[in-house]
Amino acid sequence: KKLKWRSAQEAELKPYNFSEPYIKTGQVGECNSPEDVQAFIQLATSQNRAWIPQGGNTGLVRGSTPTEPTEDILRYVNRELHVNPGQKVVEAGAAATIQDIQDHVAEYGLYFPVSYGSKGTATIGGAVATNAGGMERRIQHSCIGYEAVDGTGQLIRHQWEDPPTLLDSVWPDSRYHFLGSQGYFGCV
């Protein structure tokens, strides 16, 4: 399978450059599966290139904005949603927005309680990585597991055995390391 990794110029990079400094050239990898993310990270690492995961770009910090043309952008594009109405569970691709999930589960008479102002652009992968909170609860209370790829390209699957112990979104969870990690350990 060919990894979709392309060079981009200033005009193409506008969606990825949402805060200064704006890069003029760069590499963008569009990943559609955890295996694509693994391949992207392994390729970037083998070429000694830094990479930055980007989701909905709703954050107020510049951590997901490249500052150098040698920093590659990892963009997860899988927005697939699968609902199991009997178990009241939705499986979502990391690029699915909070709004996508809310709308999709509503078709089954279900409700996804995490909600905030940027729900139309905020992704579920970013919500897990930041342990985002909304009007009613944080993502840790509505998530039963995740798939992530660490900085070496290893796929990690976590299913909750016990509830996460996070009190806020400042530190990662002690057992489910990618929950609240801010992308420090890899990509959800």
Side-chain angles (χ1 to χ4, degrees):
K1 184 175 180 180
K2 179 98 167 99
L3 183 62
K4 200 172 177 188
W5 193 346
R6 62 184 170 81
S7 295
Q9 299 304 313
E10 188 172 8
E12 295 174 283
L13 289 169
K14 282 189 181 187
Y16 311 105
N17 281 327
F18 66 100
S19 59
E20 293 186 28
Y22 301 112
I23 59 169
K24 307 257 189 264
T25 62
Q27 301 281 333
V28 177
E30 292 183 348
C31 301
N32 197 42
S33 69
E35 293 76 23
D36 287 351
V37 175
Q38 286 181 284
F40 177 94
I41 292 172
Q42 289 167 351
L43 182 59
T45 302
S46 73
Q47 296 178 2
N48 204 28
R49 296 181 63 87
W51 55 274
I52 297 172
Q54 281 194 352
N57 286 343
T58 58
L60 300 176
V61 295
R62 295 183 345 187
S64 66
T65 301
T67 58
E68 301 290 331
T70 56
E71 296 172 335
D72 299 332
I73 299 166
L74 187 159
R75 188 78 173 184
Y76 199 77
V77 296
N78 184 336
R79 296 174 73 133
E80 288 184 30
L81 295 167
H82 304 283
V83 176
N84 181 328
Q87 292 187 340
K88 298 182 180 177
V89 171
V90 62
E91 183 180 326
T97 67
I98 301 302
Q99 184 74 58
D100 290 340
I101 295 168
Q102 289 176 336
D103 292 347
H104 195 70
V105 300
E107 294 173 16
Y108 295 87
L110 301 173
Y111 174 68
F112 185 67
V114 176
S115 187
Y116 33 85
S118 59
K119 65 184 179 182
T121 52
T123 63
I124 192 68
V128 171
T130 60
N131 190 30
M135 310 251 214
E136 296 180 43
R137 59 177 63 186
R138 295 198 163 281
I139 197 70
Q140 75 187 58
H141 303 294
S142 297
C143 184
I144 60 170
Y146 59 80
E147 289 182 337
V149 179
D150 72 11
T152 67
Q154 180 180 347
L155 180 62
I156 296 165
R157 290 184 173 97
H158 278 151
Q159 295 290 329
W160 290 182
E161 295 171 13
D162 296 308
T165 56
L166 289 170
L167 299 175
D168 55 34
S169 59
V170 177
W171 302 107
D173 186 78
S174 60
R175 286 172 290 172
Y176 311 111
H177 301 28
F178 286 82
L179 178 64
S181 69
Q182 311 294 328
Y184 184 77
F185 301 120
C187 186
V188 175

